[in-house]
Amino acid sequence: MSRRPTHRLAADLALLLTAAAFCLPVAWVLLSSVDPDAGLAVKAPDGLTLGNFDAILTTDVTFRPLLNSLILCGGGTALTVVCAALAAYPLSRFRSRLNRPFLLAVLFATGLPITAIMVPVYALFVRIDLIDTFQGTILFFAASQLPFAIWLMKNFMDGVPKELEEAAWTDGASAFQSLTRIVLPLMGPGVAVVTVFSFVMMWGNFFVPFMLLLTPDQMPASVSINEFFGNRGMVAYGQLAAFSVVYSTPVILLYVLIARRLGGGFALGGAMKG
């Protein structure tokens, strides 16, 4: 009986250490953003100031890069969700000998390192005039997130009873109508998960826009944050922390807006059972 409290204490300590590992960087960002003498140490500021935010809240430093990020990540996420739904539907609803090989190929694609395919992609984009364009970057963002999005979407789609679609087909609905009017509304939490996952992965991606975009005015915030790291190790830590707070806001807002759907279930999941 004495071992159980010891094991529980050890588990609690491990959880506290894990929580501290995540909380310390967040604490540094929040405290340094209002610290006039911010450094690498996590400390309470001697005096509070909004000067760091005043320095970064300009068109060139923050607003234009954030707008570029919203265009790139919003467009890439929308394209990813639409293509993943269209690809997952036949994989979930129709049985074929090609389903498993296709899913295995998709799974293999998720393991490809982005750096390994960047050189041929760059050469291809140069040939077809997609280099240094938003549409080219959006296409590559969507293509890079699509394999895992298809897996997620199919798993959620499998939880929607097929009997509901069969009833719609009896009334004359097409497969596309049953997908858009029955399946997708019932798997709202799944669509929300795929949307958040895809947007977050694109939002923090530095390498892809850095390689595919050449014009400074088109750079997203994930690339422009590099400007706060100056030469010879000089870093404006306060401004970097303030920019990080602003940079994180869209992702937090997206999660808050759709978090209520993440806890929902498939309301009509058992409507045709029994």
Side-chain angles (χ1 to χ4, degrees):
M1 295 298 294
S2 60
R3 291 184 178 181
R4 182 171 299 177
T6 303
H7 292 167
R8 183 175 299 176
L9 179 61
D12 292 340
L13 290 176
L15 290 175
L16 287 175
L17 290 175
T18 304
F22 283 96
C23 291
L24 281 178
V26 177
W28 179 88
V29 169
L30 295 177
L31 294 174
S32 297
S33 64
V34 293
D35 189 349
D37 301 315
L40 284 175
V42 180
K43 63 182 181 65
D46 297 331
L48 300 180
T49 179
L50 295 178
N52 294 324
F53 289 95
D54 291 337
I56 66 160
L57 292 178
T58 63
T59 300
D60 294 335
V61 176
T62 300
F63 297 130
R64 184 184 294 119
L66 280 179
L67 178 60
N68 293 339
S69 292
L70 289 174
I71 294 173
L72 292 172
C73 300
T77 300
L79 187 59
T80 299
V81 172
V82 171
C83 292
L86 294 176
Y89 183 73
L91 293 172
S92 175
R93 288 301 186 256
F94 304 107
R95 297 291 178 260
S96 171
R97 294 180 179 178
L98 299 179
N99 282 11
R100 182 175 176 79
F102 179 81
L103 287 174
L104 292 177
V106 169
L107 182 63
F108 172 77
T110 62
L112 292 176
I114 197 70
T115 53
I117 61 176
M118 204 65 229
V119 173
V121 167
Y122 186 90
L124 174 65
F125 276 28
V126 169
R127 283 182 171 269
I128 60 179
D129 294 328
L130 283 179
I131 200 70
D132 197 26
T133 62
F134 277 171
Q135 57 266 32
T137 308
I138 288 173
L139 287 174
F140 189 79
F141 266 152
S144 62
Q145 296 301 320
L146 193 56
F148 197 72
I150 292 176
W151 269 90
L152 284 177
M153 195 75 75
K154 179 188 179 297
N155 289 334
F156 283 109
M157 203 170 287
D158 288 342
V160 179
K162 191 176 180 180
E163 290 83 356
L164 298 175
E165 292 179 83
E166 293 174 347
W169 293 340
T170 302
D171 293 335
S174 64
F176 182 77
Q177 289 175 328
S178 65
L179 170 64
T180 56
R181 298 182 181 181
I182 297 177
V183 178
L184 291 180
L186 290 179
M187 53 175 289
V191 176
V193 168
V194 174
T195 300
V196 171
F197 176 83
S198 301
F199 187 86
V200 170
M201 295 300 293
M202 296 177 193
W203 189 259
N205 195 307
F206 169 85
F207 187 68
V208 170
F210 180 75
M211 292 294 297
L212 298 182
L213 296 174
L214 308 177
T215 305
D217 289 344
Q218 293 184 334
M219 292 297 178
S222 60
V223 178
S224 67
I225 196 174
N226 189 53
E227 298 297 325
F228 292 99
F229 296 88
N231 296 326
R232 300 180 181 179
M234 300 297 294
V235 182
Y237 290 108
Q239 296 180 20
L240 175 62
F243 185 87
S244 298
V245 172
V246 177
Y247 177 53
S248 304
T249 301
V251 175
I252 297 173
L253 289 178
L254 174 65
Y255 177 78
V256 170
L257 288 174
I258 66 176
R260 60 187 181 85
R261 304 210 65 181
L262 295 178
F266 300 125
L268 300 180
M272 300 298 294
K273 298 293 184 179

